[in-house]
Amino acid sequence: MLKNKGFYMAELIISLSGWLVISTTFVPVFIKLHHQLIQQEEKSEALHLFYEYLQTVIVEGQDRENIVITKEDKQYSIIWEGENLREVKICYEDVLGNKVEIHETAP
């Protein structure tokens, strides 16, 4: 009488196939979510720098002028537009190399 003390080859192939399906489904989703998280953090950083600059302009009574802010080897351009310089465009290059423009309205 034979006793089975291990996995059959069919069970091993089925389990490996299952892991292959899971990994090919979830790894691209994870990578996409990771890129979106990084892009959201960069956008948040750009807006944070803009509002810091806006506070200094308002408090010190400076003129609103176009400026480039460099932080951690990344350049953020703040460009004032429109009537009374109330509209602003914040430009930077994201981690994927895409040019990003954020449009805001300042008080």
Side-chain angles (χ1 to χ4, degrees):
M1 183 173 212
L2 294 172
K3 292 188 178 183
N4 187 5
K5 293 186 178 183
F7 289 103
Y8 286 110
M9 182 62 100
E11 292 173 340
L12 182 61
I13 291 174
I14 289 172
S15 66
L16 289 176
S17 298
W19 280 108
L20 182 65
V21 168
I22 289 170
S23 65
T24 56
T25 303
F26 289 114
V27 169
V29 171
F30 174 75
I31 291 171
K32 180 72 172 173
L33 287 175
H34 184 68
H35 285 312
Q36 287 178 352
L37 174 67
I38 292 172
Q39 289 172 338
Q40 192 65 30
E41 288 174 353
E42 288 178 338
K43 182 178 179 180
S44 176
E45 180 68 25
L47 289 172
H48 182 75
L49 288 173
F50 165 66
Y51 285 116
E52 280 183 359
Y53 173 69
L54 183 61
Q55 286 178 345
T56 58
V57 165
I58 292 173
V59 169
E60 296 177 5
Q62 298 176 355
D63 291 333
R64 296 179 179 192
E65 55 187 34
N66 297 342
I67 188 172
V68 176
I69 300 173
T70 304
K71 183 171 184 182
E72 298 175 4
D73 298 331
K74 185 172 287 236
Q75 293 185 342
Y76 300 90
S77 300
I78 299 175
I79 303 167
W80 296 92
E81 300 174 331
E83 294 179 25
N84 300 327
L85 298 177
R86 293 185 53 115
E87 297 166 6
V88 67
K89 178 171 62 172
I90 307 159
C91 303
Y92 64 94
E93 190 172 300
D94 68 0
V95 72
L96 301 175
N98 301 323
K99 185 174 180 176
V100 178
E101 292 183 358
I102 303 171
H103 298 272
E104 288 287 320
T105 303

